[in-house]
Amino acid sequence: MRRFLVAGNWKMNGDSAANAALVAGIIAGLEASDGVDVLVCPPYPYLAAVAAQVSDSSLLLGAQSVSEHTAGAFTGEVAPAMLQEIGCRYVIVGHSERRALYGETSEQVAAKFQAAQDAGLTPILCVGESLEEREAMATESVIAGQVAAVVAVSGVDAFASAVIAYEPVWAIGTGEVATPEQAQDAHFHIRGLLAAENADVAANLQILYGGSMKGENAPGLLSMPDIDGGLIGGASLKSADFLAIVNAGVEAVR
Ligand code: PGA
């Protein structure tokens, strides 16, 4: 059976004091999180401090992005091995903000995915359609293209040690959440894309929903058969809000 994963994407928020309080609050609430893996993804400068703080807990650490290169003259970039060394186990690749604001192409995202795996990190591949694409009935083809770019480089079997996050762009940070049925349809489609080539990998793949997920709407989303957790932005910045989603996961597992 697939475990749930609830991941906090802090984006460009926080400072040392706020992070320490947030992490302490999450760890204090984790005792009751059986069957649910819980992950935080702080900004780069705080990874080492958070790594130290989570070292005696079950709270997992990840980064929000990574270079597709291993080392060298790439000013401002961070290599996968650096994240691995500092205690990260996961890294988000292809977040829609990276794609839209920083011009990351699906080919670049695929290279980052492969580079992350080469360094022993578990990539969380973000896919999802814009509002225009949904209205043009292109949701499934957009997602298929984003997944295919990674499959072309790494193959379907690489998803045995990866996570996919379905994040409809129109739902990110907008307060407008996908309905459980809309999300389930997309997740079912994603699992089917991989199942066509490897049924086992598809059956075991964690597919997270992301986009305005909160304690109130998490139970409905997490009750759907192909939704295995969440990638949480805004609601990951307060421990009570984040733990409400973790607890919804605990309930859904039961
Ligand atoms: P949100 O962000 O929860 O604030 O909508 C989700 C994400 O971008 O991962």
Side-chain angles (χ1 to χ4, degrees), residues 7-46:
N9 172 13
W10 295 0
K11 308 192 179 181
M12 198 172 74
N13 293 293
D15 57 36
S16 297
N19 298 345
L22 174 55
V23 169
I26 296 169
I27 290 173
L30 276 189
E31 290 149 45
S33 69
D34 292 356
V36 181
D37 294 328
V38 185
L39 166 70
V40 290
C41 300
Y44 288 139
Y46 303 115

PDB file of all heavy atoms in Angstrom, residues 7-46:
ATOM      1  N   ALA A   7       3.953  17.379   2.142  1.00  0.00           N
ATOM      2  CA  ALA A   7       5.186  18.138   1.945  1.00  0.00           C
ATOM      3  C   ALA A   7       4.897  19.632   2.018  1.00  0.00           C
ATOM      4  O   ALA A   7       3.971  20.118   1.368  1.00  0.00           O
ATOM      5  CB  ALA A   7       5.786  17.790   0.586  1.00  0.00           C
ATOM      6  N   GLY A   8       5.687  20.341   2.778  1.00  0.00           N
ATOM      7  CA  GLY A   8       5.564  21.790   2.866  1.00  0.00           C
ATOM      8  C   GLY A   8       6.569  22.474   1.953  1.00  0.00           C
ATOM      9  O   GLY A   8       7.776  22.250   2.077  1.00  0.00           O
ATOM     10  N   ASN A   9       6.067  23.284   1.032  1.00  0.00           N
ATOM     11  CA  ASN A   9       6.921  24.080   0.149  1.00  0.00           C
ATOM     12  C   ASN A   9       6.871  25.514   0.673  1.00  0.00           C
ATOM     13  O   ASN A   9       5.911  26.237   0.417  1.00  0.00           O
ATOM     14  CB  ASN A   9       6.381  23.989  -1.288  1.00  0.00           C
ATOM     15  CG  ASN A   9       7.091  24.933  -2.240  1.00  0.00           C
ATOM     16  OD1 ASN A   9       8.135  25.499  -1.916  1.00  0.00           O
ATOM     17  ND2 ASN A   9       6.519  25.113  -3.425  1.00  0.00           N
ATOM     18  N   TRP A  10       7.900  25.879   1.412  1.00  0.00           N
ATOM     19  CA  TRP A  10       7.886  27.191   2.067  1.00  0.00           C
ATOM     20  C   TRP A  10       8.075  28.342   1.087  1.00  0.00           C
ATOM     21  O   TRP A  10       7.859  29.504   1.439  1.00  0.00           O
ATOM     22  CB  TRP A  10       8.979  27.266   3.133  1.00  0.00           C
ATOM     23  CG  TRP A  10       8.794  26.336   4.302  1.00  0.00           C
ATOM     24  CD1 TRP A  10       7.765  25.447   4.501  1.00  0.00           C
ATOM     25  CD2 TRP A  10       9.662  26.208   5.442  1.00  0.00           C
ATOM     26  NE1 TRP A  10       7.946  24.777   5.687  1.00  0.00           N
ATOM     27  CE2 TRP A  10       9.101  25.230   6.287  1.00  0.00           C
ATOM     28  CE3 TRP A  10      10.862  26.827   5.825  1.00  0.00           C
ATOM     29  CZ2 TRP A  10       9.704  24.858   7.494  1.00  0.00           C
ATOM     30  CZ3 TRP A  10      11.457  26.447   7.014  1.00  0.00           C
ATOM     31  CH2 TRP A  10      10.882  25.484   7.850  1.00  0.00           C
ATOM     32  N   LYS A  11       8.509  28.027  -0.129  1.00  0.00           N
ATOM     33  CA  LYS A  11       8.821  29.065  -1.127  1.00  0.00           C
ATOM     34  C   LYS A  11       9.804  30.072  -0.519  1.00  0.00           C
ATOM     35  O   LYS A  11      10.629  29.695   0.317  1.00  0.00           O
ATOM     36  CB  LYS A  11       7.534  29.714  -1.655  1.00  0.00           C
ATOM     37  CG  LYS A  11       6.536  28.639  -2.145  1.00  0.00           C
ATOM     38  CD  LYS A  11       5.381  29.175  -2.929  1.00  0.00           C
ATOM     39  CE  LYS A  11       4.492  28.007  -3.369  1.00  0.00           C
ATOM     40  NZ  LYS A  11       3.350  28.420  -4.160  1.00  0.00           N
ATOM     41  N   MET A  12       9.726  31.346  -0.888  1.00  0.00           N
ATOM     42  CA  MET A  12      10.720  32.308  -0.388  1.00  0.00           C
ATOM     43  C   MET A  12      10.168  33.018   0.851  1.00  0.00           C
ATOM     44  O   MET A  12       9.924  34.231   0.840  1.00  0.00           O
ATOM     45  CB  MET A  12      11.094  33.308  -1.486  1.00  0.00           C
ATOM     46  CG  MET A  12      12.414  34.035  -1.197  1.00  0.00           C
ATOM     47  SD  MET A  12      12.986  35.038  -2.580  1.00  0.00           S
ATOM     48  CE  MET A  12      11.856  36.419  -2.510  1.00  0.00           C
ATOM     49  N   ASN A  13       9.933  32.234   1.900  1.00  0.00           N
ATOM     50  CA  ASN A  13       9.372  32.759   3.146  1.00  0.00           C
ATOM     51  C   ASN A  13      10.194  32.274   4.329  1.00  0.00           C
ATOM     52  O   ASN A  13      10.834  31.234   4.265  1.00  0.00           O
ATOM     53  CB  ASN A  13       7.929  32.264   3.316  1.00  0.00           C
ATOM     54  CG  ASN A  13       6.994  32.847   2.281  1.00  0.00           C
ATOM     55  OD1 ASN A  13       6.726  34.052   2.265  1.00  0.00           O
ATOM     56  ND2 ASN A  13       6.517  32.000   1.375  1.00  0.00           N
ATOM     57  N   GLY A  14      10.149  33.040   5.405  1.00  0.00           N
ATOM     58  CA  GLY A  14      10.755  32.627   6.666  1.00  0.00           C
ATOM     59  C   GLY A  14      12.031  33.370   6.999  1.00  0.00           C
ATOM     60  O   GLY A  14      12.593  34.105   6.186  1.00  0.00           O
ATOM     61  N   ASP A  15      12.456  33.182   8.252  1.00  0.00           N
ATOM     62  CA  ASP A  15      13.769  33.627   8.716  1.00  0.00           C
ATOM     63  C   ASP A  15      14.169  32.639   9.806  1.00  0.00           C
ATOM     64  O   ASP A  15      13.399  31.741  10.148  1.00  0.00           O
ATOM     65  CB  ASP A  15      13.738  35.080   9.208  1.00  0.00           C
ATOM     66  CG  ASP A  15      12.723  35.325  10.311  1.00  0.00           C
ATOM     67  OD1 ASP A  15      12.531  34.434  11.170  1.00  0.00           O
ATOM     68  OD2 ASP A  15      12.096  36.402  10.319  1.00  0.00           O
ATOM     69  N   SER A  16      15.348  32.793  10.354  1.00  0.00           N
ATOM     70  CA  SER A  16      15.852  31.753  11.260  1.00  0.00           C
ATOM     71  C   SER A  16      14.914  31.514  12.432  1.00  0.00           C
ATOM     72  O   SER A  16      14.613  30.362  12.781  1.00  0.00           O
ATOM     73  CB  SER A  16      17.237  32.139  11.782  1.00  0.00           C
ATOM     74  OG  SER A  16      18.137  32.202  10.706  1.00  0.00           O
ATOM     75  N   ALA A  17      14.426  32.605  13.043  1.00  0.00           N
ATOM     76  CA  ALA A  17      13.583  32.452  14.236  1.00  0.00           C
ATOM     77  C   ALA A  17      12.235  31.826  13.875  1.00  0.00           C
ATOM     78  O   ALA A  17      11.761  30.897  14.552  1.00  0.00           O
ATOM     79  CB  ALA A  17      13.380  33.820  14.901  1.00  0.00           C
ATOM     80  N   ALA A  18      11.628  32.324  12.813  1.00  0.00           N
ATOM     81  CA  ALA A  18      10.323  31.791  12.407  1.00  0.00           C
ATOM     82  C   ALA A  18      10.435  30.322  11.996  1.00  0.00           C
ATOM     83  O   ALA A  18       9.571  29.499  12.328  1.00  0.00           O
ATOM     84  CB  ALA A  18       9.751  32.625  11.257  1.00  0.00           C
ATOM     85  N   ASN A  19      11.502  29.991  11.284  1.00  0.00           N
ATOM     86  CA  ASN A  19      11.684  28.596  10.852  1.00  0.00           C
ATOM     87  C   ASN A  19      11.828  27.667  12.047  1.00  0.00           C
ATOM     88  O   ASN A  19      11.256  26.569  12.068  1.00  0.00           O
ATOM     89  CB  ASN A  19      12.944  28.448   9.987  1.00  0.00           C
ATOM     90  CG  ASN A  19      12.884  29.260   8.711  1.00  0.00           C
ATOM     91  OD1 ASN A  19      11.818  29.723   8.316  1.00  0.00           O
ATOM     92  ND2 ASN A  19      14.035  29.442   8.081  1.00  0.00           N
ATOM     93  N   ALA A  20      12.628  28.101  13.031  1.00  0.00           N
ATOM     94  CA  ALA A  20      12.864  27.248  14.203  1.00  0.00           C
ATOM     95  C   ALA A  20      11.556  26.986  14.946  1.00  0.00           C
ATOM     96  O   ALA A  20      11.278  25.858  15.372  1.00  0.00           O
ATOM     97  CB  ALA A  20      13.890  27.906  15.133  1.00  0.00           C
ATOM     98  N   ALA A  21      10.735  28.022  15.054  1.00  0.00           N
ATOM     99  CA  ALA A  21       9.450  27.857  15.740  1.00  0.00           C
ATOM    100  C   ALA A  21       8.517  26.949  14.929  1.00  0.00           C
ATOM    101  O   ALA A  21       7.827  26.081  15.488  1.00  0.00           O
ATOM    102  CB  ALA A  21       8.803  29.226  15.957  1.00  0.00           C
ATOM    103  N   LEU A  22       8.514  27.142  13.612  1.00  0.00           N
ATOM    104  CA  LEU A  22       7.657  26.329  12.741  1.00  0.00           C
ATOM    105  C   LEU A  22       8.047  24.852  12.819  1.00  0.00           C
ATOM    106  O   LEU A  22       7.189  23.970  12.997  1.00  0.00           O
ATOM    107  CB  LEU A  22       7.772  26.857  11.304  1.00  0.00           C
ATOM    108  CG  LEU A  22       7.068  26.091  10.187  1.00  0.00           C
ATOM    109  CD1 LEU A  22       5.586  25.904  10.480  1.00  0.00           C
ATOM    110  CD2 LEU A  22       7.257  26.824   8.851  1.00  0.00           C
ATOM    111  N   VAL A  23       9.343  24.587  12.707  1.00  0.00           N
ATOM    112  CA  VAL A  23       9.815  23.196  12.733  1.00  0.00           C
ATOM    113  C   VAL A  23       9.538  22.565  14.102  1.00  0.00           C
ATOM    114  O   VAL A  23       9.089  21.411  14.183  1.00  0.00           O
ATOM    115  CB  VAL A  23      11.312  23.118  12.365  1.00  0.00           C
ATOM    116  CG1 VAL A  23      11.888  21.744  12.643  1.00  0.00           C
ATOM    117  CG2 VAL A  23      11.489  23.475  10.885  1.00  0.00           C
ATOM    118  N   ALA A  24       9.770  23.321  15.165  1.00  0.00           N
ATOM    119  CA  ALA A  24       9.498  22.784  16.500  1.00  0.00           C
ATOM    120  C   ALA A  24       8.020  22.448  16.646  1.00  0.00           C
ATOM    121  O   ALA A  24       7.652  21.402  17.204  1.00  0.00           O
ATOM    122  CB  ALA A  24       9.925  23.792  17.571  1.00  0.00           C
ATOM    123  N   GLY A  25       7.164  23.298  16.119  1.00  0.00           N
ATOM    124  CA  GLY A  25       5.724  23.048  16.193  1.00  0.00           C
ATOM    125  C   GLY A  25       5.321  21.815  15.404  1.00  0.00           C
ATOM    126  O   GLY A  25       4.484  21.023  15.847  1.00  0.00           O
ATOM    127  N   ILE A  26       5.910  21.646  14.227  1.00  0.00           N
ATOM    128  CA  ILE A  26       5.581  20.472  13.411  1.00  0.00           C
ATOM    129  C   ILE A  26       6.050  19.195  14.122  1.00  0.00           C
ATOM    130  O   ILE A  26       5.303  18.221  14.251  1.00  0.00           O
ATOM    131  CB  ILE A  26       6.211  20.574  12.002  1.00  0.00           C
ATOM    132  CG1 ILE A  26       5.624  21.766  11.229  1.00  0.00           C
ATOM    133  CG2 ILE A  26       5.994  19.275  11.230  1.00  0.00           C
ATOM    134  CD1 ILE A  26       6.366  22.096   9.936  1.00  0.00           C
ATOM    135  N   ILE A  27       7.296  19.224  14.602  1.00  0.00           N
ATOM    136  CA  ILE A  27       7.835  18.021  15.258  1.00  0.00           C
ATOM    137  C   ILE A  27       6.979  17.651  16.478  1.00  0.00           C
ATOM    138  O   ILE A  27       6.690  16.470  16.706  1.00  0.00           O
ATOM    139  CB  ILE A  27       9.313  18.233  15.648  1.00  0.00           C
ATOM    140  CG1 ILE A  27      10.182  18.283  14.382  1.00  0.00           C
ATOM    141  CG2 ILE A  27       9.797  17.125  16.588  1.00  0.00           C
ATOM    142  CD1 ILE A  27      11.636  18.659  14.622  1.00  0.00           C
ATOM    143  N   ALA A  28       6.547  18.651  17.198  1.00  0.00           N
ATOM    144  CA  ALA A  28       5.733  18.385  18.399  1.00  0.00           C
ATOM    145  C   ALA A  28       4.415  17.701  18.030  1.00  0.00           C
ATOM    146  O   ALA A  28       3.875  16.919  18.820  1.00  0.00           O
ATOM    147  CB  ALA A  28       5.453  19.687  19.138  1.00  0.00           C
ATOM    148  N   GLY A  29       3.916  17.956  16.829  1.00  0.00           N
ATOM    149  CA  GLY A  29       2.646  17.358  16.412  1.00  0.00           C
ATOM    150  C   GLY A  29       2.793  16.065  15.652  1.00  0.00           C
ATOM    151  O   GLY A  29       1.811  15.457  15.241  1.00  0.00           O
ATOM    152  N   LEU A  30       4.029  15.621  15.446  1.00  0.00           N
ATOM    153  CA  LEU A  30       4.268  14.467  14.572  1.00  0.00           C
ATOM    154  C   LEU A  30       4.035  13.128  15.221  1.00  0.00           C
ATOM    155  O   LEU A  30       3.949  12.128  14.532  1.00  0.00           O
ATOM    156  CB  LEU A  30       5.708  14.495  14.046  1.00  0.00           C
ATOM    157  CG  LEU A  30       5.966  15.348  12.822  1.00  0.00           C
ATOM    158  CD1 LEU A  30       7.362  15.092  12.299  1.00  0.00           C
ATOM    159  CD2 LEU A  30       4.943  15.040  11.738  1.00  0.00           C
ATOM    160  N   GLU A  31       3.932  13.103  16.547  1.00  0.00           N
ATOM    161  CA  GLU A  31       3.798  11.806  17.219  1.00  0.00           C
ATOM    162  C   GLU A  31       2.616  11.032  16.682  1.00  0.00           C
ATOM    163  O   GLU A  31       2.646   9.815  16.612  1.00  0.00           O
ATOM    164  CB  GLU A  31       3.621  12.012  18.726  1.00  0.00           C
ATOM    165  CG  GLU A  31       4.888  12.501  19.390  1.00  0.00           C
ATOM    166  CD  GLU A  31       4.588  13.391  20.583  1.00  0.00           C
ATOM    167  OE1 GLU A  31       3.714  13.022  21.376  1.00  0.00           O
ATOM    168  OE2 GLU A  31       5.221  14.456  20.690  1.00  0.00           O
ATOM    169  N   ALA A  32       1.584  11.780  16.267  1.00  0.00           N
ATOM    170  CA  ALA A  32       0.358  11.111  15.838  1.00  0.00           C
ATOM    171  C   ALA A  32       0.296  10.901  14.327  1.00  0.00           C
ATOM    172  O   ALA A  32      -0.768  10.727  13.775  1.00  0.00           O
ATOM    173  CB  ALA A  32      -0.845  11.925  16.291  1.00  0.00           C
ATOM    174  N   SER A  33       1.435  10.935  13.647  1.00  0.00           N
ATOM    175  CA  SER A  33       1.375  10.923  12.181  1.00  0.00           C
ATOM    176  C   SER A  33       1.721   9.561  11.579  1.00  0.00           C
ATOM    177  O   SER A  33       2.403   9.478  10.573  1.00  0.00           O
ATOM    178  CB  SER A  33       2.279  12.002  11.600  1.00  0.00           C
ATOM    179  OG  SER A  33       3.631  11.673  11.818  1.00  0.00           O
ATOM    180  N   ASP A  34       1.238   8.483  12.190  1.00  0.00           N
ATOM    181  CA  ASP A  34       1.497   7.137  11.662  1.00  0.00           C
ATOM    182  C   ASP A  34       0.994   6.998  10.231  1.00  0.00           C
ATOM    183  O   ASP A  34      -0.115   7.415   9.928  1.00  0.00           O
ATOM    184  CB  ASP A  34       0.767   6.087  12.515  1.00  0.00           C
ATOM    185  CG  ASP A  34       1.368   6.015  13.894  1.00  0.00           C
ATOM    186  OD1 ASP A  34       2.359   6.702  14.137  1.00  0.00           O
ATOM    187  OD2 ASP A  34       0.822   5.263  14.714  1.00  0.00           O
ATOM    188  N   GLY A  35       1.798   6.390   9.387  1.00  0.00           N
ATOM    189  CA  GLY A  35       1.365   6.118   8.021  1.00  0.00           C
ATOM    190  C   GLY A  35       1.501   7.305   7.094  1.00  0.00           C
ATOM    191  O   GLY A  35       1.189   7.212   5.916  1.00  0.00           O
ATOM    192  N   VAL A  36       1.963   8.431   7.626  1.00  0.00           N
ATOM    193  CA  VAL A  36       2.115   9.628   6.799  1.00  0.00           C
ATOM    194  C   VAL A  36       3.545  10.154   6.945  1.00  0.00           C
ATOM    195  O   VAL A  36       4.005  10.418   8.055  1.00  0.00           O
ATOM    196  CB  VAL A  36       1.130  10.730   7.240  1.00  0.00           C
ATOM    197  CG1 VAL A  36       1.277  11.970   6.365  1.00  0.00           C
ATOM    198  CG2 VAL A  36      -0.305  10.221   7.191  1.00  0.00           C
ATOM    199  N   ASP A  37       4.239  10.271   5.826  1.00  0.00           N
ATOM    200  CA  ASP A  37       5.559  10.897   5.839  1.00  0.00           C
ATOM    201  C   ASP A  37       5.367  12.403   5.730  1.00  0.00           C
ATOM    202  O   ASP A  37       4.514  12.872   4.982  1.00  0.00           O
ATOM    203  CB  ASP A  37       6.402  10.389   4.671  1.00  0.00           C
ATOM    204  CG  ASP A  37       6.731   8.909   4.801  1.00  0.00           C
ATOM    205  OD1 ASP A  37       6.875   8.436   5.944  1.00  0.00           O
ATOM    206  OD2 ASP A  37       6.813   8.239   3.765  1.00  0.00           O
ATOM    207  N   VAL A  38       6.169  13.138   6.480  1.00  0.00           N
ATOM    208  CA  VAL A  38       6.022  14.593   6.518  1.00  0.00           C
ATOM    209  C   VAL A  38       7.368  15.229   6.167  1.00  0.00           C
ATOM    210  O   VAL A  38       8.411  14.837   6.691  1.00  0.00           O
ATOM    211  CB  VAL A  38       5.534  15.060   7.908  1.00  0.00           C
ATOM    212  CG1 VAL A  38       5.260  16.560   7.900  1.00  0.00           C
ATOM    213  CG2 VAL A  38       4.278  14.299   8.315  1.00  0.00           C
ATOM    214  N   LEU A  39       7.306  16.194   5.276  1.00  0.00           N
ATOM    215  CA  LEU A  39       8.507  16.768   4.666  1.00  0.00           C
ATOM    216  C   LEU A  39       8.398  18.285   4.669  1.00  0.00           C
ATOM    217  O   LEU A  39       7.321  18.829   4.430  1.00  0.00           O
ATOM    218  CB  LEU A  39       8.569  16.257   3.213  1.00  0.00           C
ATOM    219  CG  LEU A  39       9.512  16.896   2.213  1.00  0.00           C
ATOM    220  CD1 LEU A  39      10.956  16.552   2.546  1.00  0.00           C
ATOM    221  CD2 LEU A  39       9.186  16.398   0.801  1.00  0.00           C
ATOM    222  N   VAL A  40       9.510  18.965   4.927  1.00  0.00           N
ATOM    223  CA  VAL A  40       9.538  20.416   4.740  1.00  0.00           C
ATOM    224  C   VAL A  40      10.638  20.781   3.746  1.00  0.00           C
ATOM    225  O   VAL A  40      11.700  20.165   3.713  1.00  0.00           O
ATOM    226  CB  VAL A  40       9.753  21.195   6.069  1.00  0.00           C
ATOM    227  CG1 VAL A  40       8.518  21.096   6.952  1.00  0.00           C
ATOM    228  CG2 VAL A  40      11.003  20.740   6.810  1.00  0.00           C
ATOM    229  N   CYS A  41      10.357  21.798   2.928  1.00  0.00           N
ATOM    230  CA  CYS A  41      11.306  22.276   1.916  1.00  0.00           C
ATOM    231  C   CYS A  41      11.556  23.765   2.130  1.00  0.00           C
ATOM    232  O   CYS A  41      10.871  24.622   1.552  1.00  0.00           O
ATOM    233  CB  CYS A  41      10.749  22.028   0.514  1.00  0.00           C
ATOM    234  SG  CYS A  41      10.433  20.284   0.145  1.00  0.00           S
ATOM    235  N   PRO A  42      12.543  24.097   2.979  1.00  0.00           N
ATOM    236  CA  PRO A  42      12.886  25.497   3.260  1.00  0.00           C
ATOM    237  C   PRO A  42      13.732  26.096   2.130  1.00  0.00           C
ATOM    238  O   PRO A  42      14.258  25.375   1.284  1.00  0.00           O
ATOM    239  CB  PRO A  42      13.728  25.411   4.547  1.00  0.00           C
ATOM    240  CG  PRO A  42      13.612  23.991   5.031  1.00  0.00           C
ATOM    241  CD  PRO A  42      13.293  23.164   3.834  1.00  0.00           C
ATOM    242  N   PRO A  43      13.894  27.414   2.127  1.00  0.00           N
ATOM    243  CA  PRO A  43      14.830  28.044   1.191  1.00  0.00           C
ATOM    244  C   PRO A  43      16.272  27.563   1.465  1.00  0.00           C
ATOM    245  O   PRO A  43      16.613  27.209   2.591  1.00  0.00           O
ATOM    246  CB  PRO A  43      14.708  29.542   1.509  1.00  0.00           C
ATOM    247  CG  PRO A  43      13.385  29.679   2.206  1.00  0.00           C
ATOM    248  CD  PRO A  43      13.186  28.400   2.958  1.00  0.00           C
ATOM    249  N   TYR A  44      17.109  27.600   0.428  1.00  0.00           N
ATOM    250  CA  TYR A  44      18.484  27.093   0.541  1.00  0.00           C
ATOM    251  C   TYR A  44      19.262  27.547   1.784  1.00  0.00           C
ATOM    252  O   TYR A  44      19.910  26.733   2.426  1.00  0.00           O
ATOM    253  CB  TYR A  44      19.312  27.522  -0.686  1.00  0.00           C
ATOM    254  CG  TYR A  44      18.992  26.836  -1.993  1.00  0.00           C
ATOM    255  CD1 TYR A  44      18.959  27.577  -3.175  1.00  0.00           C
ATOM    256  CD2 TYR A  44      18.772  25.465  -2.073  1.00  0.00           C
ATOM    257  CE1 TYR A  44      18.711  26.970  -4.398  1.00  0.00           C
ATOM    258  CE2 TYR A  44      18.520  24.857  -3.298  1.00  0.00           C
ATOM    259  CZ  TYR A  44      18.491  25.613  -4.460  1.00  0.00           C
ATOM    260  OH  TYR A  44      18.258  25.011  -5.671  1.00  0.00           O
ATOM    261  N   PRO A  45      19.250  28.850   2.136  1.00  0.00           N
ATOM    262  CA  PRO A  45      20.159  29.272   3.218  1.00  0.00           C
ATOM    263  C   PRO A  45      19.845  28.634   4.572  1.00  0.00           C
ATOM    264  O   PRO A  45      20.702  28.611   5.449  1.00  0.00           O
ATOM    265  CB  PRO A  45      19.951  30.795   3.305  1.00  0.00           C
ATOM    266  CG  PRO A  45      19.348  31.176   2.008  1.00  0.00           C
ATOM    267  CD  PRO A  45      18.547  29.988   1.562  1.00  0.00           C
ATOM    268  N   TYR A  46      18.637  28.113   4.707  1.00  0.00           N
ATOM    269  CA  TYR A  46      18.206  27.571   6.004  1.00  0.00           C
ATOM    270  C   TYR A  46      18.258  26.049   6.060  1.00  0.00           C
ATOM    271  O   TYR A  46      17.938  25.452   7.094  1.00  0.00           O
ATOM    272  CB  TYR A  46      16.786  28.053   6.320  1.00  0.00           C
ATOM    273  CG  TYR A  46      16.668  29.553   6.327  1.00  0.00           C
ATOM    274  CD1 TYR A  46      15.892  30.216   5.400  1.00  0.00           C
ATOM    275  CD2 TYR A  46      17.379  30.319   7.271  1.00  0.00           C
ATOM    276  CE1 TYR A  46      15.803  31.597   5.397  1.00  0.00           C
ATOM    277  CE2 TYR A  46      17.302  31.697   7.274  1.00  0.00           C
ATOM    278  CZ  TYR A  46      16.509  32.335   6.327  1.00  0.00           C
ATOM    279  OH  TYR A  46      16.423  33.702   6.328  1.00  0.00           O
TER     280      TYR A  46
END
